[in-house]
Amino acid sequence: MSQPKRPRGGREANEAGAFWEYRLARLRFMQGFFVRRSIDVWPDGLQGSNLAELDVLSTGFDARLRRRTEVIEAKSGAGAKEVDRVMWLRGMATYAGVDEATFAKLHVDSRVRPVARRARVNVLDEAAVSAAEKAAGIDLEDWVGYADPQLGEAVVKAARSHLTSSVPLRRAGKFLFGTFWLSDEFTRIKQLRTLAELLNRHESEVEPAALVLACSEVVTLTALSTLEVTNWRGQYDPDEFRTFATGQFASGLGQPEGLRRVLAQVDAMTHDFVEALHEEYTATGAARINRRIPQLQHELLRVPEWAEAFMDLSTRMQERANLAMHILRALDLRAAERLGSKRDTKKIARAWIGQDQQVADAASLVERFCLSVWGLPARGLEPARK
């Protein structure tokens, strides 16, 4: 008589759940999408613990550079309350602003499927995933990029933890693997620029693997955000787009901290202007002094010096719109290799065979922009030293 299966628990259950997440991430990555795991949803101000965790985020661009993102909630255990998770997922998808929500569980109760359809949640079980893996030509040992559990658990997990708790980087991990995904593209570009500056300033204080992870993420997420900004080009003529985009990058109003800085600048400018005017008046005794009144919009809302270079990058990415997903995945594979991955990437690189040089050149273009224009430390795009 066979013994009943012992329910998984503790470490065994966690490992099974993580493996299922990696498997789903691998599937989407091999299907042509840009993928990230374990994205934290933080409260405003990043205070306290995270509100929730998104198991898998899968992002794709069409030929017009319109982005669509899918959030996948992965469950492997038999004890999961499936209807509860479907409803939670529908709400979280709305909160995160993603386009599609997918509930993935090894075995899904048939009663859950009509509920999921009504809630507009896709459903994946192990049979569906296995069929999709077969259709994509994925073998058991085809682990690549960040969808590789060996790299993820041994290197990336520790590097992310270091970044999340890093004081000099102002919680860079919480941004790269959290708040980045809930911000608009123009805000993200400015935040990535700030992070590149911080990495340059504090590179000696960051562990080698964490520095490589952070710098590689800055590059890849810059490429992703640039593609999103470039999508706006279709809604404007070239001159209008330049005015619109550079205006979005202008410094000044924004977060409360930025508002306080602007108000302090206004106060200082007003004080200096009045004092200078008073000195001129008392010195000349003139009844009226011809003096230009400062225009705060022009004095305070300055376009950053890197905006012109970014517009050039956007133009070049638009010329390569058909290669968008190949560029993002190639950057991911480069990052994994720097972090120590030895996996064979030939199978996934077949997707851009015949366009290899174009993809490599575009990926290098984004790297050079981050290095030369934003000052990202070059050491962060070299193999991690132990």
Side-chain angles (χ1 to χ4, degrees):
M1 181 177 178
S2 61
Q3 294 294 322
K5 278 190 174 181
R6 179 175 59 85
R8 288 197 305 261
R11 180 178 177 181
E12 186 181 356
N14 290 337
E15 289 177 350
F19 184 82
W20 179 233
E21 287 181 24
Y22 280 111
R23 190 176 166 189
L24 293 164
R26 177 182 66 175
L27 174 62
R28 289 295 187 249
F29 190 64
M30 297 289 277
Q31 286 176 329
F33 297 93
F34 174 78
V35 181
R36 283 295 176 267
R37 286 185 54 255
S38 301
I39 299 300
D40 291 316
V41 178
W42 296 96
D44 293 340
L46 299 179
Q47 299 299 319
S49 57
N50 63 324
L51 297 175
E53 181 185 275
L54 307 179
D55 292 337
V56 179
L57 273 182
S58 169
T59 293
F61 287 93
D62 64 14
R64 294 174 59 187
L65 295 182
R66 291 176 300 189
R67 174 185 160 190
R68 289 190 64 82
T69 300
E70 171 194 32
V71 60
I72 302 177
E73 171 73 356
K75 292 297 175 188
S76 61
K81 295 181 179 179
E82 297 174 21
V83 171
D84 288 357
R85 298 316 293 173
V86 166
M87 294 304 184
W88 175 90
L89 179 57
R90 180 68 267 160
M92 185 51 65
T94 301
Y95 181 82
V98 300
D99 304 287
E100 290 190 51
T102 299
F103 177 67
K105 189 169 177 287
L106 293 173
H107 304 285
V108 179
D109 190 318
S110 59
R111 297 173 298 177
V112 175
R113 295 181 184 274
V115 176
R117 279 195 297 272
R118 187 166 178 176
R120 290 177 290 113
V121 172
N122 306 317
V123 175
L124 281 177
D125 58 17
E126 186 173 30
V129 169
S130 295
E133 288 172 334
K134 184 177 181 181
I138 302 173
D139 296 326
L140 184 63
E141 293 303 317
D142 285 339
W143 300 106
V144 291
Y146 288 150
D148 176 7
Q150 182 178 323
L151 179 70
E153 296 301 300
V155 180
V156 176
K157 193 173 183 178
R160 278 185 57 170
S161 178
H162 176 72
L163 290 173
T164 303
S165 59
S166 175
V167 175
L169 292 181
R170 301 178 188 174
R171 298 165 293 184
K174 291 184 179 181
F175 166 66
L176 292 172
F177 298 96
T179 56
F180 170 90
W181 297 94
L182 303 180
S183 305
D184 72 86
E185 55 270 39
F186 292 98
T187 299
R188 281 189 252 130
I189 289 290
K190 291 186 284 187
Q191 290 171 328
L192 286 166
R193 165 68 179 89
T194 300
L195 180 53
E197 204 171 45
L198 288 170
L199 287 166
N200 190 3
R201 193 180 310 158
H202 300 287
E203 65 171 301
S204 61
E205 304 168 52
V206 184
E207 293 177 357
L211 179 67
V212 170
L213 176 66
C215 290
S216 297
E217 284 297 280
V218 167
V219 170
T220 309
L221 298 183
T222 295
L224 186 149
S225 301
T226 303
L227 291 167
E228 287 189 82
V229 170
T230 302
N231 174 246
W232 285 88
R233 284 180 177 272
Q235 302 178 40
Y236 298 88
D237 68 32
D239 291 337
E240 286 179 338
F241 173 73
R242 182 174 294 275
T243 301
F244 163 72
T246 53
Q248 293 294 317
F249 295 137
S251 59
L253 299 178
Q255 298 297 323
E257 296 83 357
L259 179 58
R260 284 194 291 272
R261 287 195 296 272
V262 169
L263 293 177
Q265 287 180 277
V266 171
D267 183 57
M269 287 178 59
T270 303
H271 179 270
D272 292 344
F273 178 76
V274 171
E275 285 297 315
L277 189 64
H278 177 72
E279 289 176 6
E280 290 183 30
Y281 182 81
T282 55
T284 64
R288 182 178 179 85
I289 295 176
N290 291 323
R291 188 175 177 86
R292 183 182 68 85
I293 299 175
Q295 297 293 312
L296 298 184
Q297 180 178 355
H298 297 122
E299 297 290 337
L300 296 179
L301 299 180
R302 295 191 178 98
V303 176
E305 71 283 355
W306 49 264
E308 194 65 31
F310 178 83
M311 296 305 295
D312 180 63
L313 176 65
S314 173
T315 300
R316 292 169 181 260
M317 294 298 276
Q318 185 182 37
E319 294 168 354
R320 298 161 172 82
N322 62 314
L323 302 176
M325 296 313 304
H326 300 331
I327 295 167
L328 289 174
R329 294 196 296 160
L331 285 169
D332 250 24
L333 296 178
R334 285 187 183 186
E337 187 176 350
R338 291 187 197 113
L339 289 168
S341 175
K342 304 296 182 184
R343 299 288 192 180
D344 187 355
T345 59
K346 291 187 182 69
K347 182 175 289 188
I348 195 167
R350 288 177 195 158
W352 53 87
I353 195 166
Q355 300 171 306
D356 313 57
Q357 195 59 52
Q358 291 175 272
V359 172
D361 289 347
S364 297
L365 176 68
V366 182
E367 291 179 342
R368 287 197 302 273
F369 172 85
C370 293
L371 290 171
S372 60
V373 179
W374 280 358
L376 196 69
R379 190 163 64 90
L381 297 184
E382 299 172 355
R385 299 193 299 269
K386 294 184 179 180

